[in-house]
Amino acid sequence: MPPKSDSVEGIVLSFVNEQNRPLNSQNVADALQKFSLKKTAVQKALDALADSGQISFKEYGKQKIYLARQDQFNIPNGEELEEMKKANIKLQEELADQKKAISEVESEVRGLQSNLTLAEIKSKEAKLQREVQEMEEKLNKLRNGVILVKPEDKKIIEESFSEKVNQWRKRKRMFKELWDNITENSPKDQKEFKEELGLEYDEDVGVNLQSYSDMLTSLSKRRKVSR
């Protein structure tokens, strides 16, 4: 007669059948701690179940190994196993298809979330329209000959630019004369000497006096024409 399901033997028998793998008394006791069963009670239940033939056991020295009776399980034959394998492969393929579909949906959702909302689109459109209007107003002023820079400000800027270019030219000439005098009878290589002193030419820092001189010449010509 099988034990009651809520008895110690019933709990142990249910666990051994569910696991359906070799177990010792310590394995069972550790797993059934949630039922507040002590190891001695578990050992007693295992022995009782083994004596009554409800579970199987084998002795290995001083240790007993317990196992659920296999004749209570419906073990499939070779043909049934083959059918189960085919069914498993089919389920795996269906699972892969489902995962792919879920991934595509998630990707689409992320794409939709990254798009602007209708309110955001309208706000951005209004901002762009304001910017376009401001640029059109500036363009119309230029077309109508409206002076955006005051003549007096323009004159100050041009005179300052002219002064800076002339100072540049003057200092460049002074340096060349001084450098030529220093290096005229020097045995050192001029390039190495320059690097040793930490000197840099205009070209070393990507500037060219001639280009600014050309701008100054062009500026002078425009002044003459405007007069």
Side-chain angles (χ1 to χ4, degrees), residues 68 92 94 106 109 172-173:
Q92 291 293 336
E94 291 177 358
E106 289 177 344
V109 169
K172 187 177 180 69
R173 184 173 61 251

Side-chain angles (χ1 to χ4, degrees), residues 76-131:
N77 57 34
E79 185 178 342
E80 290 173 332
L81 283 172
E82 190 62 31
E83 289 297 322
M84 291 170 68
K85 286 181 181 178
K86 291 179 181 179
N88 182 53
I89 291 172
K90 185 177 180 181
L91 288 172
Q92 291 293 336
E93 291 174 348
E94 291 177 358
L95 178 61
D97 291 339
Q98 289 294 327
K99 286 183 177 179
K100 183 179 178 182
I102 291 172
S103 178
E104 291 174 352
V105 171
E106 289 177 344
S107 178
E108 186 175 349
V109 169
R110 285 194 296 270
L112 291 172
Q113 289 175 339
S114 65
N115 291 335
L116 295 175
T117 63
L118 182 59
E120 290 172 336
I121 291 173
K122 288 183 177 179
S123 175
K124 190 162 188 173
E125 181 186 16
K127 181 181 177 182
L128 290 172
Q129 286 179 345
R130 288 194 299 271
E131 291 177 356

Side-chain angles (χ1 to χ4, degrees), residues 123-224:
S123 175
K124 190 162 188 173
E125 181 186 16
K127 181 181 177 182
L128 290 172
Q129 286 179 345
R130 288 194 299 271
E131 291 177 356
V132 169
Q133 185 176 356
E134 289 173 1
M135 287 188 283
E136 285 181 345
E137 289 175 356
K138 290 181 180 179
L139 184 59
N140 288 332
K141 288 180 180 179
L142 291 172
R143 286 173 177 168
N144 296 329
V146 175
I147 299 173
L148 300 181
V149 180
K150 296 179 180 179
E152 54 269 26
D153 292 339
K154 183 180 178 183
K155 183 180 179 182
I156 292 171
I157 294 170
E158 290 177 348
E159 288 177 349
S160 176
F161 175 72
S162 176
E163 181 185 357
K164 295 296 188 295
V165 171
N166 289 331
Q167 286 289 338
W168 185 359
R169 185 184 296 110
K170 180 180 178 181
R171 294 185 182 188
K172 187 177 180 69
R173 184 173 61 251
M174 290 171 61
F175 170 77
K176 186 177 183 310
E177 292 174 355
L178 182 61
W179 181 253
D180 289 343
N181 291 332
I182 293 172
T183 59
E184 183 176 2
N185 298 315
S186 175
K188 289 188 176 183
D189 180 78
Q190 291 194 20
K191 184 177 180 182
E192 293 179 359
F193 191 29
K194 183 189 74 169
E195 291 177 355
E196 183 181 334
L197 294 174
L199 300 176
E200 288 181 332
Y201 289 170
D202 295 342
E203 295 75 11
D204 295 332
V205 291
V207 293
N208 190 320
L209 174 61
Q210 186 58 47
S211 62
Y212 289 91
S213 297
D214 293 342
M215 291 173 59
L216 187 58
T217 302
S218 176
L219 181 61
S220 298
K221 289 180 179 179
R222 284 202 302 269
R223 283 178 178 174
K224 292 178 180 178

Side-chain angles (χ1 to χ4, degrees), residues 13-31:
L13 177 62
S14 176
F15 176 75
V16 172
N17 286 336
E18 286 175 1
Q19 294 298 306
N20 193 23
R21 61 184 177 87
L23 299 164
N24 60 33
S25 58
Q26 189 64 54
N27 298 147
V28 180
D30 290 342

